[in-house]
Amino acid sequence: GADWVHADPSEGILDEPLLYERGWAKKLTMIFAMTPWSIEHVTARYTADYNATVHRRGVTEDVLQEILGEVNHRLHSEVPVRSWGYDKGRASRNRSLDEIALWAHFDIAG
């Protein structure tokens, strides 16, 4: 998987993944890191007691990994690759997340 960095802009905090569990006493179940083309289960980085999160979530690790595999397959195969937007020479998979958020709601033919 990718190297992910925890960021919470509303709190002005960077790279403090145990903030919610230790600082706020949250009972975590699952945490995911996402890009427009993939999703990764990163709960282990956000908890000091991973087994407790597994118990709370009610889904086995095998089932979760199977679901994530299917989701990632669909994201990889179904996200449009065509060129669009203000710089039509670039394919959608080469866009930044900001660009995708800006242009995703337009249905541009061609």
Side-chain angles (χ1 to χ4, degrees):
D3 290 325
W4 298 100
V5 175
H6 165 253
D8 187 330
S10 67
E11 296 294 320
I13 293 176
L14 185 64
D15 207 20
E16 290 187 31
L18 298 178
L19 169 72
Y20 309 110
E21 185 178 74
R22 289 191 177 156
W24 297 0
K26 296 290 184 184
K27 300 289 186 196
L28 304 174
T29 53
M30 291 183 271
I31 298 174
F32 299 96
M34 294 178 238
T35 72
W37 308 281
S38 69
I39 182 168
E40 186 175 331
H41 179 233
V42 296
T43 306
R45 187 174 190 294
Y46 288 80
T47 183
D49 188 358
Y50 184 73
N51 289 332
T53 68
V54 172
H55 180 72
R56 281 192 293 271
R57 75 179 180 217
V59 176
T60 67
E61 194 71 26
D62 290 341
V63 169
L64 178 60
Q65 292 306 317
E66 184 178 325
I67 292 167
L68 287 174
E70 176 63 24
V71 168
N72 281 317
H73 173 74
R74 291 187 65 184
L75 284 171
H76 201 71
S77 62
E78 295 176 13
V79 170
V81 183
R82 65 191 165 116
S83 295
W84 45 264
Y86 58 86
D87 184 7
K88 289 192 177 246
R90 293 173 54 215
S92 57
R93 289 188 187 214
N94 297 327
R95 300 281 180 168
S96 71
L97 187 55
D98 289 344
E99 290 175 299
I100 289 169
L102 175 65
W103 289 100
H105 65 281
F106 292 109
D107 184 21
I108 300 172

